Amino acid sequence: MQSATWRTFSLLTASFLRPSSRITLKRQPLTSAPFRTMASSTAAAHSLLKKPVKLACVQLSSTTDKEHNLSHAADKVKEAASAGAKIVVLPECFNSPYGCDFFPSYAEALLPSPEATSPSFRALSAIARENQIYLVGGSIPELVEEEQGSKKYYNTSLVFSPSGELLATHRKVHLFDIDIPGGITFKESDVLSPGNKVTIVDLPEYGKIAVAICYDVRFPELAMVAARRGCFALIYPGAFNTVTGPKHWKLLGQARAVDNQLYVALCSPARDTGASYHAYGHSLIVDPMAQVLVEADENEAIVSAELDGEKIESARKGIPLRDQRRFDVYPDVSRGDVKFEEP
């Protein structure tokens, strides 16, 4: 015998199924035109990374001796390349101590002829060529002398091809100006000027990467632009300190990875408690599902991981963010007034 509850359920079900029923469900459109455009434009996302590649982050200690720092970086990059890495990343300010007091004295001119004026440029180019790798050369302090006799300083990353050719230059866009009560006060803008562009680099055998520096990782817009312009990895040379590092370093790497469903690499200096600035260390590589594949401690180390395009595609199929963005509700930042060249 049917219960009253079951009879009620049957009547309601029947009323939903009868075309003439007064109870109707209004079908809402699942997408608007801009949304459908986004879905179709990402259909070829499986080709973001053309073939698997081993990426290594070289976590170095930097001293006050620039020549030693360059030589030490060369040795460690060779070690990473000998273990199979084809993309190698160095830390922020790897050729000098990190700090506003050091930037002017360690800065090198890259314009108009870096081969003549920048020993770090020459060293990085040679390291990439000798090891036949793509080299994201951490960052170095850059000097620009202006016509009026004034000087500007930038925190600048140089990216080289396996032939030693300069592929891209990224000047740190967001300067590290913070004041944490009871924690740390630091103001890069006292000395440095900001860069003014998003940096995307084409590695022909593999695909595109984006390069930014340290504090840039806190600003998701840079990462979103890079992801929607077809990058398979976001690479950040950085030097978080022992106050912000434990709180946010790994979290930010995972956030940028899961937001954009691609690989993220964060490369830090090793910690030197005898220096004026204590880097957190913990260089790491994160996969498109925000899993930390490998992480160093605070000491010198080389951490590496195999990046695979299928893992990117699997993440994007399983959680299809790329097909569900509502650009009819909010704007696509990658289609706005994005700067890809310095003015």
Side-chain angles (χ1 to χ4, degrees), residues 86-323:
K86 297 299 183 183
I87 303 172
V88 181
V89 187
L90 291 172
E92 181 180 22
C93 289
F94 81 96
N95 70 341
S96 68
Y98 178 81
C100 292
D101 293 341
F102 298 102
F103 295 142
S105 57
Y106 283 84
E108 301 174 14
L110 297 174
L111 300 172
S113 177
E115 293 86 352
T117 56
S118 173
S120 297
F121 180 99
R122 293 193 298 272
L124 291 169
S125 176
I127 291 168
R129 183 176 62 253
E130 290 166 6
N131 293 286
Q132 293 290 289
I133 57 163
Y134 288 99
L135 179 62
V136 179
S139 76
I140 66 171
E142 178 193 357
L143 165 66
V144 174
E145 299 196 50
E146 301 188 313
E147 292 180 2
Q148 303 86 347
S150 61
K151 296 179 179 180
K152 281 189 173 181
Y153 301 99
Y154 297 92
N155 189 345
T156 302
S157 183
L158 305 172
V159 183
F160 292 88
S161 75
S163 66
E165 175 192 1
L166 179 68
L167 295 179
T169 299
H170 178 80
R171 292 169 171 168
K172 191 173 187 176
V173 172
H174 302 92
L175 298 182
F176 184 51
D177 288 3
I178 66 166
D179 185 5
I180 300 174
I184 185 172
T185 299
F186 202 94
K187 196 171 183 183
E188 280 188 330
S189 64
D190 283 344
V191 175
L192 297 177
S193 295
N196 298 288
K197 70 179 179 74
V198 177
T199 302
I200 295 175
V201 191
D202 185 29
L203 315 183
E205 301 97 314
Y206 303 110
K208 296 176 184 177
I209 61 171
V211 177
I213 299 173
C214 199
Y215 198 50
D216 287 339
V217 75
R218 289 189 179 272
F219 298 87
E221 293 85 353
L222 282 182
M224 287 189 288
V225 169
R228 293 175 197 167
R229 293 300 180 105
C231 292
F232 68 83
L234 308 173
I235 298 179
Y236 298 91
F240 271 41
N241 56 63
T242 52
V243 175
T244 58
K247 297 177 185 296
H248 297 150
W249 174 255
K250 184 189 298 186
L251 175 65
L252 286 164
Q254 291 177 297
R256 297 294 82 83
V258 77
D259 284 350
N260 299 289
Q261 297 178 308
L262 40 62
Y263 288 95
V264 172
L266 306 181
C267 188
S268 170
R271 191 178 309 167
D272 179 0
T273 56
S276 57
Y277 184 89
H278 300 164
Y280 177 55
H282 290 263
S283 297
L284 53 85
I285 301 170
V286 187
D287 79 3
M289 289 293 285
Q291 178 184 356
V292 177
L293 300 176
V294 62
E295 180 179 2
D297 58 16
E298 70 274 16
N299 301 302
E300 283 205 338
I302 297 172
V303 294
S304 61
E306 190 89 3
L307 313 189
D308 189 341
E310 288 300 320
K311 206 162 188 179
I312 299 173
E313 183 61 10
S314 176
R316 294 182 178 193
K317 283 182 177 177
I319 306 175
L321 303 182
R322 66 183 178 194
D323 303 327

Side-chain angles (χ1 to χ4, degrees), residues 30-31 35-36 38-43 261 316-317 319-326:
L30 294 178
T31 64
F35 183 37
R36 288 194 295 272
M38 177 61 189
S40 62
S41 68
T42 55
Q261 297 178 308
R316 294 182 178 193
K317 283 182 177 177
I319 306 175
L321 303 182
R322 66 183 178 194
D323 303 327
Q324 296 174 332
R325 301 193 190 279
R326 292 292 306 276

